[in-house]
Amino acid sequence: MNVHARNLPGKEDQNLASNIISKQQFNKELEIIEAQKKDALEQQAMKFHRNERKYIFSALLAIVIIGSIFYRNYQRKKKDNKRLSRQKEEIELQAKELSESNKKLLRLAKFKQDMTNMIVHDLKNPISAIINVSKIDDWPDKDLMIEYSGKQLLNLVTNILDVDKYEQMDFQLFKREVNIQKSINIALEDVSFILKNKGINIELNLVENSCVIADREIINRVLVNLLTNAIKFSPNNGTIDITASIKNQDELYVGIKNDGPGIQKDMHKSIFEMYQQHDVRPSGGVASSGIGLSFCKLSIEAHNGTIGVKSETKTGVEFWFTIPNAELIEE
């Protein structure tokens, strides 16, 4: 009995064993709790990362959307600015064109007024001459004066019509071989009355048998206009030199020089403009033609030639022109 009693565990041993078992169970439960806590934390971390990715994606998407909106607005604004800029340029261009058109209309109105005054003035002189001379019975040059005045009228009217045709792009040339020596002689015959009346001497320096392809009637009238202009500004009993030569192998050069007052160099170009006259007064009562030199310029340029004036000294003026495609011909 005593032996068995001593071998049985005591109360203290039982408590110790119970404590050990309880501690083991606590540790297991603690491990389970820690594991659950760890799982929960991991799940929370995963959820946080998922949410974080969603937020980042949403933020990036929002940035892209906002950026695209701003970009579209920028492009639209840029297009609008370009359109407004083009509209502004068009408006400015239209305003400039309107201003230029207004200036042209004003110049045209002045031009028409000047033209009317010039034509009336130029027509008045030969008409008055015809009327006055027709009343004289015993003047030997009566018929010559009437003929010259009539030719003056015809030349003036024809010049006006041809200038108008040129401006309307309806000026036509009828080209053929023109012997310039013969044309100069015809022009001298047309102005012979005023040459004789002013006692002007003609000096000719012509290359014989020089020929040019041109409109014969137009060239004759150019020569008459230049000769009339030279006579107009020549002193009584003066001299007019007429030169005709071929330069640069195939270019006809014609020069008509008088010994009257010179023309200022700054007026050499403007003198050929429509209805322009320089301030040198004609001598001997020869009628002025404001359109003659303009007709000459248009006619020579229609032949692809050039025309100009030389006046380097105080006295003496030479009007000249050139026409291409000239040659010497055999009689």
Side-chain angles (χ1 to χ4, degrees):
M1 291 291 292
N2 292 330
V3 173
H4 289 294
R6 234 182 347 259
N7 293 334
L8 291 172
K11 187 178 286 188
E12 291 180 358
D13 294 332
Q14 289 178 354
N15 290 336
L16 181 60
S18 177
N19 290 334
I20 292 172
I21 292 171
S22 297
K23 188 174 181 180
Q24 290 176 345
Q25 289 178 346
F26 175 77
N27 290 334
K28 287 181 180 180
E29 290 176 356
L30 184 61
E31 289 177 356
I32 292 171
I33 291 171
E34 290 292 337
Q36 290 176 347
K37 185 178 179 181
K38 185 177 180 181
D39 290 340
L41 290 173
E42 289 177 352
Q43 289 178 359
Q44 287 181 356
M46 290 176 63
K47 185 177 180 181
F48 174 78
H49 289 309
R50 285 196 299 270
N51 291 334
E52 185 181 34
R53 285 194 295 270
K54 288 180 180 179
Y55 294 145
I56 293 173
F57 177 77
S58 299
L60 291 174
L61 182 61
I63 291 171
V64 171
I65 293 172
I66 294 172
S68 63
I69 292 173
F70 275 109
Y71 181 75
R72 284 198 300 270
N73 289 337
Y74 169 76
Q75 291 295 330
R76 188 181 298 112
K77 187 175 181 180
K78 189 176 180 181
K79 289 180 180 178
D80 291 341
N81 289 337
K82 285 184 178 180
R83 184 173 65 255
L84 290 173
S85 179
R86 285 195 301 268
Q87 290 176 350
K88 182 181 178 182
E89 290 176 358
E90 291 174 358
I91 291 172
E92 290 176 350
L93 181 61
Q94 290 174 355
K96 186 177 180 181
E97 290 176 349
L98 286 173
S99 177
E100 290 297 325
S101 298
N102 185 52
K103 290 179 181 178
K104 288 180 180 178
L105 288 174
L106 292 174
R107 285 197 299 267
L108 180 61
K110 185 178 184 303
F111 168 78
K112 288 183 176 180
Q113 183 63 42
D114 292 343
M115 180 183 68
T116 302
N117 294 337
M118 191 70 69
I119 291 173
V120 169
H121 173 74
D122 286 353
L123 290 176
K124 176 184 175 182
N125 291 321
I127 292 174
S128 297
I130 291 173
I131 293 172
N132 293 330
V133 171
S134 65
K135 298 176 182 179
I136 303 175
D137 295 327
D138 56 351
W139 189 30
D141 292 331
K142 173 181 176 179
D143 292 339
L144 290 175
M145 180 60 181
I146 292 175
E147 180 185 2
Y148 170 73
S149 299
K151 286 182 178 179
Q152 246 191 325
L153 282 172
L154 179 61
N155 187 58
L156 174 62
V157 172
T158 309
N159 286 347
I160 294 170
L161 292 175
D162 281 344
V163 169
D164 183 67
K165 286 180 181 179
Y166 191 91
E167 291 177 341
Q168 300 298 326
M169 305 299 290
D170 193 31
F171 187 74
Q172 296 181 359
L173 298 176
F174 299 96
K175 292 185 177 182
R176 51 182 170 169
E177 284 189 352
V178 178
N179 186 309
I180 194 64
Q181 186 176 9
K182 291 181 179 179
S183 293
I184 290 173
N185 290 333
I186 292 171
L188 286 171
E189 182 65 27
D190 286 343
V191 298
S192 60
F193 176 78
I194 52 175
L195 281 173
K196 179 182 176 182
N197 209 34
K198 292 190 68 173
I200 292 177
N201 180 49
I202 296 295
E203 295 287 344
L204 295 176
N205 183 16
L206 311 178
V207 175
E208 294 184 359
N209 304 329
S210 55
C211 176
V212 67
I213 303 301
D215 188 309
R216 182 176 298 169
E217 180 184 350
I218 296 296
I219 295 301
N220 287 349
R221 283 171 43 216
V222 167
L223 291 169
V224 168
N225 278 285
L226 293 180
L227 281 170
T228 302
N229 187 76
I231 296 167
K232 176 176 61 178
F233 293 102
S234 292
N236 291 335
N237 303 314
T239 299
I240 293 178
D241 295 315
I242 303 176
T243 303
S245 61
I246 294 181
K247 296 185 176 182
N248 302 323
Q249 296 182 347
D250 66 346
E251 184 179 66
L252 174 69
Y253 176 91
V254 176
I256 298 176
K257 181 179 180 181
N258 65 45
D259 52 3
I263 301 173
Q264 295 179 1
K265 200 165 187 178
D266 59 352
M267 300 181 68
H268 285 188
K269 291 184 178 180
S270 64
I271 198 171
F272 291 100
E273 294 178 4
M274 196 69 68
Y275 301 103
Q276 291 289 327
Q277 290 179 283
H278 50 76
D279 55 1
V280 180
R281 293 185 178 182
S283 62
V286 179
S288 172
S289 177
I291 200 172
L293 292 178
S294 299
F295 164 77
C296 293
K297 182 176 186 293
L298 297 178
S299 298
I300 295 302
E301 289 180 350
H303 284 83
N304 298 318
T306 56
I307 189 169
V309 59
K310 298 177 183 177
S311 183
E312 299 294 339
T313 59
K314 293 182 179 180
T315 60
V317 178
E318 179 182 2
F319 282 90
W320 59 267
F321 66 86
T322 62
I323 298 178
N325 302 321
E327 60 182 12
L328 295 176
I329 57 175
E330 298 293 336
E331 290 291 345

